[in-house]
Amino acid sequence: MSLDEVTVKMAAAYVDTVIAPMERAPKTKQGYVTSLNRCWKWHRRRGHLETSSPWVDLGGDLKGPTKEKRPLTFPEIQKWLAREKGKKQVQHDLILLCTYTGMRQNEACSLLVSDVESGKKCWWLSIREGKNRSAVRDVPVTAKDCIEILKRRTKGRTSGQLFEELRPGGKDDKLNWRVGKALRYSLNKVMDGKAKDECVDFHSTRRTYASVLENGGLRKDGYDHHAIAQCGDPEVSEEFMPIVHLV
Protein backbone atom coordinates (compact mmCIF):
# COMPACT_ATOMS: atom_id res chain seq x y z
CA MET A 1 0.00 0.00 0.00
CA SER A 2 1.31 3.45 -0.94
CA LEU A 3 0.99 6.57 1.23
CA ASP A 4 -1.54 7.99 -1.23
CA GLU A 5 -3.89 5.11 -0.43
CA VAL A 6 -4.08 5.87 3.30
CA THR A 7 -7.45 7.51 3.97
CA VAL A 8 -8.58 9.60 6.94
CA LYS A 9 -10.74 6.67 8.05
CA MET A 10 -7.76 4.31 8.01
CA ALA A 11 -5.57 6.82 9.86
CA ALA A 12 -8.26 7.37 12.49
CA ALA A 13 -8.61 3.61 12.97
CA TYR A 14 -4.84 3.35 13.55
CA VAL A 15 -4.98 6.15 16.14
CA ASP A 16 -7.93 4.53 17.92
CA THR A 17 -6.57 0.96 17.99
CA VAL A 18 -2.80 1.46 18.27
CA ILE A 19 -1.90 4.88 19.68
CA ALA A 20 -4.84 5.62 21.98
CA PRO A 21 -4.49 2.43 24.14
CA MET A 22 -0.79 3.11 24.85
CA GLU A 23 0.20 3.70 28.50
CA ARG A 24 1.64 7.11 27.62
CA ALA A 25 0.96 10.73 28.46
CA PRO A 26 -1.40 12.64 26.12
CA LYS A 27 1.46 14.81 24.81
CA THR A 28 3.50 11.72 23.93
CA LYS A 29 0.59 10.19 22.00
CA GLN A 30 -0.11 13.47 20.24
CA GLY A 31 3.58 13.59 19.32
CA TYR A 32 3.28 10.26 17.51
CA VAL A 33 0.39 11.61 15.41
CA THR A 34 2.27 14.85 14.75
CA SER A 35 5.29 12.89 13.50
CA LEU A 36 3.10 10.94 11.08
CA ASN A 37 1.50 14.18 9.88
CA ARG A 38 4.91 15.74 9.28
CA CYS A 39 6.03 12.67 7.35
CA TRP A 40 3.06 12.96 4.98
CA LYS A 41 3.58 16.70 4.53
CA TRP A 42 7.29 16.17 3.77
CA HIS A 43 6.46 13.69 1.00
CA ARG A 44 3.77 16.00 -0.42
CA ARG A 45 6.16 18.99 -0.58
CA ARG A 46 8.56 16.89 -2.59
CA GLY A 47 5.95 15.69 -5.03
CA HIS A 48 5.78 12.12 -3.78
CA LEU A 49 2.11 12.50 -2.81
CA GLU A 50 -0.94 13.95 -4.51
CA THR A 51 -3.27 13.74 -1.51
CA SER A 52 -3.29 15.78 1.71
CA SER A 53 -2.17 14.32 5.04
CA PRO A 54 -4.89 12.13 6.63
CA TRP A 55 -3.42 12.73 10.12
CA VAL A 56 -4.51 16.38 10.53
CA ASP A 57 -6.46 16.97 13.77
CA LEU A 58 -6.41 13.29 14.79
CA GLY A 59 -4.34 13.77 17.96
CA GLY A 60 -6.50 16.31 19.76
CA ASP A 61 -8.72 13.87 21.66
CA LEU A 62 -6.02 11.50 22.87
CA LYS A 63 -6.03 10.97 26.61
CA GLY A 64 -3.46 9.60 29.03
CA PRO A 65 -3.68 6.57 31.33
CA THR A 66 -6.65 6.56 33.66
CA LYS A 67 -4.36 6.11 36.68
CA GLU A 68 -0.96 7.63 37.32
CA LYS A 69 1.89 5.22 37.96
CA ARG A 70 3.14 5.30 41.55
CA PRO A 71 6.40 4.54 43.40
CA LEU A 72 6.94 1.14 44.99
CA THR A 73 6.87 1.10 48.78
CA PHE A 74 9.90 -0.18 50.67
CA PRO A 75 8.03 -3.34 51.84
CA GLU A 76 7.06 -4.06 48.23
CA ILE A 77 10.66 -3.68 47.06
CA GLN A 78 11.92 -5.85 49.93
CA LYS A 79 9.40 -8.56 49.02
CA TRP A 80 10.46 -8.33 45.37
CA LEU A 81 14.15 -8.58 46.27
CA ALA A 82 13.51 -11.55 48.56
CA ARG A 83 11.73 -13.36 45.71
CA GLU A 84 14.68 -12.89 43.33
CA LYS A 85 17.58 -13.44 45.75
CA GLY A 86 19.40 -16.69 45.08
CA LYS A 87 17.19 -17.49 42.09
CA LYS A 88 17.58 -14.78 39.48
CA GLN A 89 20.72 -12.88 40.50
CA VAL A 90 20.68 -10.53 37.52
CA GLN A 91 17.10 -9.52 38.29
CA HIS A 92 17.89 -9.02 41.98
CA ASP A 93 20.91 -6.87 41.11
CA LEU A 94 18.98 -4.72 38.65
CA ILE A 95 16.14 -4.06 41.11
CA LEU A 96 18.53 -3.05 43.88
CA LEU A 97 20.85 -0.96 41.71
CA CYS A 98 18.04 0.95 39.97
CA THR A 99 16.23 1.63 43.25
CA TYR A 100 19.34 3.11 44.86
CA THR A 101 20.49 5.12 41.82
CA GLY A 102 17.29 6.10 39.96
CA MET A 103 18.64 4.62 36.72
CA ARG A 104 16.25 3.50 34.03
CA GLN A 105 16.17 -0.22 33.33
CA ASN A 106 17.79 0.01 29.89
CA GLU A 107 20.49 2.36 31.21
CA ALA A 108 21.51 -0.21 33.81
CA CYS A 109 21.36 -3.12 31.36
CA SER A 110 23.55 -1.23 28.88
CA LEU A 111 26.38 -0.57 31.35
CA LEU A 112 29.86 -1.77 30.48
CA VAL A 113 32.59 -2.79 32.91
CA SER A 114 34.51 0.26 31.69
CA ASP A 115 31.61 2.47 32.81
CA VAL A 116 32.33 1.61 36.46
CA GLU A 117 34.79 3.71 38.46
CA SER A 118 35.68 2.62 41.97
CA GLY A 119 36.29 4.92 44.94
CA LYS A 120 36.75 4.75 48.71
CA LYS A 121 33.22 5.67 49.76
CA CYS A 122 31.53 6.42 46.46
CA TRP A 123 31.62 4.50 43.18
CA TRP A 124 30.55 6.04 39.89
CA LEU A 125 28.61 4.76 36.89
CA SER A 126 28.90 6.53 33.54
CA ILE A 127 25.69 6.61 31.52
CA ARG A 128 26.81 7.12 27.92
CA GLU A 129 23.42 7.52 26.23
CA GLY A 130 19.72 7.60 27.04
CA LYS A 131 16.27 8.82 26.04
CA ASN A 132 17.39 12.46 25.98
CA ARG A 133 20.50 14.65 26.36
CA SER A 134 20.15 14.99 30.12
CA ALA A 135 20.27 11.19 30.42
CA VAL A 136 24.04 11.28 29.73
CA ARG A 137 25.52 11.66 33.20
CA ASP A 138 27.68 10.21 35.98
CA VAL A 139 25.73 8.40 38.69
CA PRO A 140 27.11 8.13 42.25
CA VAL A 141 26.73 4.81 44.06
CA THR A 142 27.14 4.92 47.84
CA ALA A 143 24.89 2.10 49.07
CA LYS A 144 27.11 -0.75 50.34
CA ASP A 145 24.93 -3.46 48.81
CA CYS A 146 25.15 -1.81 45.40
CA ILE A 147 28.91 -1.39 45.68
CA GLU A 148 29.14 -5.11 46.45
CA ILE A 149 27.23 -5.80 43.22
CA LEU A 150 29.70 -3.67 41.26
CA LYS A 151 32.71 -5.30 42.94
CA ARG A 152 31.38 -8.78 42.17
CA ARG A 153 30.56 -7.98 38.56
CA THR A 154 33.84 -6.20 37.76
CA LYS A 155 36.23 -8.54 39.64
CA GLY A 156 38.97 -9.71 37.29
CA ARG A 157 37.31 -8.03 34.31
CA THR A 158 38.34 -5.02 32.22
CA SER A 159 35.77 -5.09 29.41
CA GLY A 160 32.40 -6.40 28.32
CA GLN A 161 28.87 -5.93 29.62
CA LEU A 162 28.50 -5.36 33.34
CA PHE A 163 25.49 -7.69 33.28
CA GLU A 164 27.09 -10.31 31.08
CA GLU A 165 24.11 -12.69 31.31
CA LEU A 166 21.95 -10.39 29.18
CA ARG A 167 21.41 -10.96 25.48
CA PRO A 168 19.83 -8.46 23.08
CA GLY A 169 16.32 -9.08 21.81
CA GLY A 170 13.19 -7.54 20.37
CA LYS A 171 12.88 -5.38 17.28
CA ASP A 172 15.28 -2.79 18.76
CA ASP A 173 17.83 -5.41 19.85
CA LYS A 174 17.94 -3.99 23.38
CA LEU A 175 19.68 -5.76 26.25
CA ASN A 176 16.75 -5.26 28.61
CA TRP A 177 14.18 -6.94 26.33
CA ARG A 178 14.21 -10.45 27.84
CA VAL A 179 15.02 -9.50 31.42
CA GLY A 180 12.42 -6.73 31.24
CA LYS A 181 9.72 -9.28 30.47
CA ALA A 182 10.94 -11.49 33.30
CA LEU A 183 10.91 -8.57 35.73
CA ARG A 184 7.36 -7.60 34.73
CA TYR A 185 6.24 -11.19 35.38
CA SER A 186 8.10 -11.28 38.69
CA LEU A 187 6.70 -7.96 39.93
CA ASN A 188 3.20 -9.04 38.99
CA LYS A 189 3.66 -12.16 41.13
CA VAL A 190 4.85 -10.04 44.05
CA MET A 191 1.76 -7.85 43.62
CA ASP A 192 -0.52 -10.93 43.60
CA GLY A 193 -1.29 -10.51 39.92
CA LYS A 194 -2.39 -6.91 40.35
CA ALA A 195 0.65 -4.88 39.24
CA LYS A 196 -1.40 -3.11 36.55
CA ASP A 197 -4.27 -2.36 38.93
CA GLU A 198 -1.79 -1.12 41.53
CA CYS A 199 -0.19 1.14 38.89
CA VAL A 200 3.37 -0.12 39.39
CA ASP A 201 6.05 -1.32 36.98
CA PHE A 202 9.85 -1.55 36.97
CA HIS A 203 10.09 2.20 36.40
CA SER A 204 8.43 2.57 39.81
CA THR A 205 11.89 1.94 41.31
CA ARG A 206 12.89 5.28 39.78
CA ARG A 207 9.74 6.86 41.16
CA THR A 208 10.67 5.52 44.59
CA TYR A 209 14.09 7.11 44.29
CA ALA A 210 12.52 10.43 43.29
CA SER A 211 10.13 10.25 46.23
CA VAL A 212 12.96 9.64 48.68
CA LEU A 213 14.82 12.64 47.26
CA GLU A 214 11.76 14.79 47.77
CA ASN A 215 11.12 13.49 51.29
CA GLY A 216 14.80 13.98 52.11
CA GLY A 217 14.56 17.65 51.22
CA LEU A 218 16.77 17.51 48.12
CA ARG A 219 14.12 18.42 45.57
CA LYS A 220 14.19 22.04 46.73
CA ASP A 221 17.87 22.10 45.67
CA GLY A 222 16.97 21.25 42.11
CA TYR A 223 16.83 17.47 42.26
CA ASP A 224 13.49 16.98 40.53
CA HIS A 225 12.22 13.78 38.88
CA HIS A 226 13.87 14.59 35.56
CA ALA A 227 17.26 15.39 37.09
CA ILE A 228 17.45 13.03 40.04
CA ALA A 229 20.45 11.10 38.80
CA GLN A 230 22.48 14.26 38.25
CA CYS A 231 23.26 14.13 41.96
CA GLY A 232 26.98 14.31 41.24
CA ASP A 233 28.09 15.41 44.69
CA PRO A 234 29.05 12.34 46.76
CA GLU A 235 28.58 14.28 50.01
CA VAL A 236 24.98 15.06 49.06
CA SER A 237 24.53 11.49 47.89
CA GLU A 238 25.86 10.03 51.14
CA GLU A 239 23.66 12.35 53.17
CA PHE A 240 20.62 11.18 51.23
CA MET A 241 21.20 7.46 50.70
CA PRO A 242 21.10 6.30 54.36
CA ILE A 243 17.40 7.24 54.32
CA VAL A 244 16.84 4.08 52.27
CA HIS A 245 17.18 0.69 54.02
CA LEU A 246 16.13 -2.19 51.80
CA VAL A 247 18.33 -5.12 52.79
Side-chain angles (χ1 to χ4, degrees):
M1 177 182 290
S2 68
L3 297 183
D4 266 322
E5 296 176 288
V6 178
T7 65
V8 174
K9 187 175 181 179
M10 293 166 65
Y14 181 85
V15 171
D16 292 341
T17 59
V18 178
I19 297 179
M22 291 179 177
E23 293 286 328
R24 298 290 187 271
K27 284 187 179 179
T28 302
K29 296 180 184 180
Q30 290 162 7
Y32 295 151
V33 178
T34 299
S35 295
L36 289 166
N37 188 36
R38 286 174 178 170
C39 175
W40 254 254
K41 287 183 175 180
W42 184 90
H43 282 285
R44 181 176 171 80
R45 286 197 300 270
R46 282 154 182 78
H48 304 154
L49 284 171
E50 297 296 331
T51 58
S52 299
S53 169
W55 305 97
V56 177
D57 297 329
L58 288 183
D61 296 327
L62 289 170
K63 298 179 181 179
T66 54
K67 292 183 180 180
E68 187 176 341
K69 298 284 187 180
R70 68 168 176 84
L72 285 160
T73 65
F74 290 166
E76 287 168 346
I77 296 174
Q78 288 169 331
K79 185 178 178 181
W80 196 10
L81 288 168
R83 187 182 191 276
E84 302 303 309
K85 192 170 185 178
K87 298 177 182 178
K88 301 288 185 180
Q89 191 64 51
V90 65
Q91 292 174 204
H92 176 275
D93 291 354
L94 283 169
I95 295 167
L96 195 62
L97 194 60
C98 288
T99 300
Y100 272 111
T101 62
M103 284 191 296
R104 297 177 178 89
Q105 184 185 100
N106 191 53
E107 291 173 344
C109 292
S110 301
L111 287 169
L112 302 175
V113 172
S114 57
D115 293 328
V116 181
E117 182 181 341
S118 62
K120 290 183 178 180
K121 292 185 177 181
C122 180
W123 286 44
W124 294 87
L125 299 174
S126 178
I127 307 297
R128 292 166 283 104
E129 57 183 26
K131 62 180 293 185
N132 49 45
R133 284 184 296 178
S134 63
V136 179
R137 63 198 187 278
D138 291 326
V139 178
V141 182
T142 59
K144 292 180 180 179
D145 296 292
C146 290
I147 290 176
E148 287 303 314
I149 290 173
L150 300 179
K151 285 181 178 179
R152 168 165 43 85
R153 289 189 169 275
T154 57
K155 186 177 181 179
R157 302 176 63 204
T158 57
S159 62
Q161 296 168 208
L162 182 65
F163 295 96
E164 54 187 338
E165 308 97 315
L166 303 181
R167 297 292 178 269
K171 63 179 181 180
D172 297 324
D173 231 22
K174 289 187 176 181
L175 287 166
N176 70 324
W177 188 74
R178 291 183 174 84
V179 74
K181 291 174 67 175
L183 284 164
R184 281 195 298 274
Y185 175 83
S186 173
L187 178 59
N188 197 45
K189 285 289 186 181
V190 169
M191 302 300 295
D192 298 321
K194 298 178 180 179
K196 186 174 182 179
D197 293 338
E198 290 288 337
C199 298
V200 293
D201 53 19
F202 187 88
H203 199 71
S204 291
T205 58
R206 182 170 162 87
R207 297 183 189 102
T208 301
Y209 183 82
S211 296
V212 174
L213 278 177
E214 183 171 15
N215 294 336
L218 293 182
R219 189 169 280 210
K220 68 181 188 307
D221 294 326
Y223 297 99
D224 59 26
H225 181 67
H226 296 287
I228 52 179
Q230 292 181 359
C231 181
D233 184 344
E235 291 184 3
V236 173
S237 185
E238 285 198 28
E239 179 185 348
F240 148 65
M241 289 313 301
I243 297 172
V244 187
H245 299 287
L246 295 178
V247 292

